[in-house]
Each structure stands twice: as C-alpha cells, then as structure tokens.
Amino acid sequence: MYGIVSCIKHRPNLDFYYVTADDGNGGLSTIELESPLKMELGEMVADGAAAGPADGKNALLRKKLIEKAIARKIESALKETPPASGVNELDKLNRKMWPEITKGASLLLKKFLAGAPIVVRFHNDADGSSGAYSIYKGLKDFSEGNGRMEKRINLFWIMNRGVIYGKEEANYDIMLINAYESQEKPLIVLIDFGTSEKSNEGIKSIGRYFDILWLDHHPMTGNFEGKSLEYYMNPWMFGGSSDYTAGLLSSVLAKSFSNADTTIFKDASLIGDYSKYANPYKEAQDLSALLDLITSDASFVNSGRNGNLTPYEIEQLLQDKTRSSELAMYANVRVAEAADEAIPLLKENNAGRHSIYTLDYGNVKEKQSRYPLLGRFSSKLLEKLEKENGRGCIVVCHVGNFISIRASRDVGEEAGLVQLAGALLERYGSRIDSAGGHKNAVGIKLSGEAGKNEILRQIVAMIRKNLAG
Ligand SMILES: [Mn+2]
C-alpha cells in the first residue's frame, strides 16, 4: 500500500498529515498521521513513512494514480437514480435536480477522500441542522471501515446564527483553514443560507480559498451572486419552491452516495419549515421541536461551552432517549406557554378579510433563555391563531433589533411578503442589516432599535395595502 501526502496541518512541533492511500486493489483510504519527519505535499508515503520526494515525474504520476482511484471510488458510490419519496411532485423535482445533486456529491466526496479541509456551515434551525446532520450521516456511512471520520480534525461543523454569509463569517472560515496546506482546494458547504445580497461580500472573499457547495431553498431574489456559483443548487431553479427544504436537499444529496437513513431528519426539516410536503408524525415532530430547541440554545446540549452545535453532539443526544424526549417535551410546552401568554398582548389591525396581529415579544420572552427564538415563536403563534379563528391571518412580532412576519399559507402570496422585504430594504436600507425569507415567512434584522416603530407601522400599512388591492 502506498499513498501521497494530500494535506498537512502545520503545528509548532509535530506536523499532522493526511495521506490518501491506494491499496492497488481499488481500495482507497484517507489516513491521518503525525510525524516528526517533515514531509511535503505530494510526497509518497509507504507504511507510514516518507518514501520518496514530492517533485518530479514520479510525483506527478502518483498524483494522477490517486486522482484516478478517487474518481473510481466516487463513481462506484454514486447511485443511478434518486431515492423514491412517495410524493409524485418530489420525485419529479428529484429527477430534475439529480445531475446537479450528484455533481455536488462528487465534489464533496473528492474533497473528503483527498483529506482537504471541509467547513460545513448551517442555519441554526430545524431545517439547517437536519441538513448538516444528513451530510454527516452520509459521510459517516460512506467512510465506514475507513475509520475516524468523527475525529477528523480538518472537518468543521459550524452553526450559523442567521442566513447571511458575510465578511465576518468568511474571515473566520479562512482563519480555520489557514494552518493547513492541501493539494485539493478546501471546501465549504453552506446549508439553508438564504439569498441576501449581504452575502456577496463573503462569497467574494472566500473564492480564492474555498470551493463552495451551496444547498438552499429560499426564493432567489435581488442581486445575490451565490446563484451563479458552479455548485449552487436550489429547487427554485428547477421549478420547485421553498417547500422543498434545505434539509430535504441535503438528505437527497447524502443518499446519492450512501445508504445513510436520513428520513426522519428530512421529515423534521419539512415540519420545521412548515413545508406543504410535511408529514407530521410524532417522532418527526418531536425531533423538529428538539432540533429547534438546541439550535436556539446550544447550552441544552453542551453546557454553553461555545454556543456551537455539531452533528456529533446531536447524535449523542439522540442516543440518550430519556434526555432527548424530555427536551422535546420541554420545547413543546415552552412554546405553547409563550403563545398563550402572547394572546392578550396582541394588537389587531384589520386588513380586508384578514387580521394583522402585532406583538412586542419582549413582553413574553423569558429573559434567561434564548428559546424560543423569535421566528419559531411567530410560527407557533400563527398556528395557534389560525386554529382559534378558523381562518388565515398575519403576525408581526418583534424584539430588540428583530422583526418576524408570518402569514398563513393562503394569505402570504396576497400579502406580498417577499416583495415587502425588498421594498423595506429599498426604503430603509441604511437602518436594516438584512431582510428576506419565503412567501409565508420574513425575517428582518435592524441595525438598531431607533426607528423600529416607524418601520413596524410601515410594514402593517404595506401589508394592508396589498391585501386591499
Ligand atoms: Mn430552511
């Protein structure tokens, strides 16, 4: 067996190496080793020791052989057809997206096998975390018998608070991979990130350092530059909609190269995002509530160490059946209580056949916990009002710098929520950090609380106008 040094982590005393090794029989593995000997990228390694220089004709030949072995391994892993979903519309979409999905999967596997640094960033909600977990399960299944996937030090999972990939996020990710030298360009996977123009700067600054695999399902509006990336995929490009969640997309991608069972995560993502494809059964509902809780406030899982959440931690939590069902129950109860408390505090505005309810969430929220986050709470409140009133409506909740708008399924389009986000940005651009979402859900982050009331009044006025027209 021989391999080549494909990635190096430089450390003060002992460098850390990834070696992509070919056993000559079509078997391929990515081995990690520490060595006091200085090795170079592309250097040949046999039995754990340097076995030849990295330069010259031989090195090139070896590199080609390994590349071929990687390509062979990917080809044999990729499935011919998408997994059957049981829903006609989804099967159709999956078939249309399949070439893009398998192209994305090939890229992911190539980086993974070549030991390149990989950063997976996901939105902190049930959808985003389901997506990240599905990718994790897929890679774990794929690397079965190939050891240590969980401990791989150059595979980073980062929960992202929000749906913007800005300069700050970009700088952080560049810093993460700075200690590495890699034959393959590092990869970043972005899951459930939205299509804000505010991400353009982040995209621009990582282009030199990363290949980008972007899995999303938000409507593609404005001058978002991510959509022209080579590995950008979004059901909207294939006649689908936001109902096809990022968690579902990631799950299909994971299944394109593995036998990982990600079904319940896919289902939790559909429930979490109120997709029309959601199939609400108890286990998936509980998982969705649980993910929502721990992505809002990771201290439920990791005692607040750093506020990050990784698939390893999710996996560990789910193995503890008692703890995870307790937490799911707590999440459900806490959200229901908050919605109950909110009802008497609502202000109602009439808009034709519908009502627009506004709420200062600061009067409801527990100060000591992040849970429930404003967006999730707004969805629950909407659900409760729909049930109580027996008809659709709109809720506008706000706390601090954040405003969250939710519209019932049959009202959102008419209320013009997606266009509303754009109009607000145009009008109050300097006072808004971000605004965007789906036709039934919009989130707005203001740069400060000053002027919030004016913007709230404007939101209500615009929605009323749309509903009257
Ligand atoms: Mn989503």
Side-chain angles (χ1 to χ4, degrees):
M1 183 157 104
Y2 77 97
I4 54 167
V5 175
S6 50
C7 180
I8 303 173
K9 182 179 191 185
H10 295 291
R11 299 190 299 190
N13 29 35
L14 210 59
D15 279 347
F16 192 93
Y17 299 94
Y18 285 92
V19 173
T20 306
D22 183 356
D23 66 7
N25 300 317
L28 187 82
S29 45
T30 309
I31 301 161
E32 297 161 315
L33 52 101
E34 284 176 330
S35 171
L37 301 170
K38 290 280 168 206
M39 295 193 275
E40 288 172 54
L41 271 188
E43 189 161 344
M44 185 169 168
V45 175
D47 299 320
D55 52 357
K57 227 172 163 180
N58 284 339
L60 203 69
L61 190 69
R62 287 195 298 271
K63 187 165 177 260
K64 284 256 146 57
L65 282 173
I66 292 284
E67 274 170 6
K68 264 197 192 145
I70 288 179
R72 261 201 319 272
K73 175 132 182 170
I74 293 172
E75 208 181 77
S76 69
L78 285 179
K79 318 254 188 229
E80 301 261 301
T81 51
S85 70
V87 179
N88 231 331
E89 232 173 85
L90 287 179
D91 285 341
K92 244 191 220 161
L93 261 172
N94 280 338
R95 278 198 298 275
K96 270 199 219 162
M97 288 164 59
W98 195 241
E100 284 298 312
I101 289 175
T102 48
K103 195 177 121 188
S106 301
L107 180 75
L108 174 68
L109 295 182
K110 186 168 93 179
K111 306 293 180 181
F112 185 71
L113 289 168
I118 300 176
V119 178
V120 182
R121 253 187 201 268
F122 57 97
H123 181 211
N124 68 322
D125 67 356
D127 186 28
S129 59
S130 295
Y133 193 80
S134 297
I135 300 288
Y136 163 72
K137 287 281 272 191
L139 287 176
K140 194 174 166 180
D141 179 78
F142 176 76
S143 62
E144 190 86 349
N146 192 358
R148 311 230 321 147
M149 140 71 191
E150 286 102 322
K151 298 196 183 79
R152 194 161 148 171
I153 59 165
N154 67 353
L155 181 51
F156 304 96
W157 304 91
I158 304 174
M159 181 167 78
N160 204 75
R161 298 190 183 283
V163 290
I164 288 175
Y165 191 80
K167 188 100 188 141
E168 221 173 283
E169 288 76 17
N171 286 340
Y172 186 88
D173 295 339
I174 292 166
M175 180 210 75
L176 274 182
I177 58 149
N178 236 342
Y180 294 89
E181 223 185 308
S182 170
Q183 278 199 322
E184 270 290 333
K185 202 173 176 181
L187 175 71
I188 183 160
V189 185
L190 296 168
I191 303 174
D192 198 22
F193 257 75
T195 52
S196 167
E197 288 172 30
K198 306 243 167 172
S199 295
N200 289 350
E201 217 187 326
I203 294 169
K204 211 186 279 153
S205 49
I206 55 167
R208 265 178 53 208
Y209 302 92
F210 288 96
D211 280 331
I212 306 172
L213 172 59
W214 197 308
L215 309 172
D216 193 29
H217 71 134
H218 289 76
M220 296 162 65
T221 53
N223 297 318
F224 170 62
E225 282 163 20
K227 61 188 169 200
S228 45
L229 290 168
E230 190 182 351
Y231 296 93
Y232 179 83
M233 56 198 83
N234 185 323
W236 285 97
M237 298 161 101
F238 299 86
S241 72
S242 303
D243 287 303
Y244 188 109
T245 52
L248 169 57
L249 180 55
S250 309
S251 165
V252 175
L253 189 130
K255 283 186 178 184
S256 77
F257 64 84
S258 78
N259 297 316
D261 185 5
T262 52
T263 308
I264 193 167
F265 282 85
K266 174 257 297 177
D267 288 333
S269 85
L270 296 171
I271 292 168
D273 266 17
Y274 292 83
S275 163
K276 68 174 178 188
Y277 303 119
N279 168 21
Y281 54 98
K282 176 102 178 32
E283 289 92 330
Q285 274 171 326
D286 280 354
L287 178 59
S288 175
L290 178 67
L291 290 174
D292 195 53
L293 175 72
I294 61 180
T295 53
S296 301
D297 191 338
S299 68
F300 283 104
V301 175
N302 57 25
S303 346
R305 264 184 290 122
N306 53 11
N308 192 27
L309 182 74
T310 66
Y312 318 127
E313 289 165 315
I314 297 176
E315 188 169 56
Q316 241 168 28
L317 172 62
L318 292 177
Q319 278 159 5
D320 185 344
K321 294 271 188 288
T322 314
R323 174 91 177 132
S324 52
S325 72
E326 268 170 17
L327 283 180
M329 202 185 308
Y330 168 78
N332 284 324
V333 168
R334 183 62 209 118
V335 164
E337 274 174 5
D340 284 344
E341 287 163 36
I343 295 288
L345 304 174
L346 292 174
K347 286 203 187 98
E348 185 174 355
N349 304 270
N350 290 319
R353 294 177 293 123
H354 304 287
S355 292
I356 307 168
Y357 296 95
T358 55
L359 174 77
D360 182 346
Y361 184 47
N363 296 329
V364 175
K365 194 176 158 39
E366 265 181 39
K367 297 282 178 291
Q368 64 273 29
S369 172
R370 287 201 188 115
Y371 187 77
L373 292 181
L374 181 67
R376 176 67 169 187
F377 168 79
S378 312
S379 300
K380 281 285 164 188
L381 180 63
L382 178 77
E383 211 178 85
K384 187 179 173 68
L385 287 166
E386 283 173 346
K387 249 184 227 153
E388 286 190 356
N389 300 345
R391 63 191 163 85
C393 62
I394 289 161
V395 299
V396 181
C397 300
H398 58 95
V399 63
N401 292 354
F402 296 90
I403 301 172
S404 171
I405 311 172
R406 294 290 182 276
S408 301
R409 186 155 282 288
D410 55 332
V411 186
E413 193 119 32
E414 214 183 318
L417 291 200
V418 175
Q419 299 87 316
L420 175 88
L424 287 171
L425 276 171
E426 215 159 274
R427 182 153 179 177
Y428 300 105
S430 60
R431 281 147 69 180
I432 296 179
D433 273 355
S434 65
H438 315 299
K439 73 179 195 297
N440 299 99
V442 163
I444 298 161
K445 185 178 175 212
L446 305 175
S447 38
E449 277 187 67
K452 180 166 83 172
N453 286 336
E454 187 199 332
I455 293 176
L456 284 167
R457 273 197 301 276
Q458 196 54 237
I459 289 171
V460 173
M462 284 160 123
I463 295 174
R464 285 178 84 161
K465 195 170 156 229
N466 288 339
L467 289 175

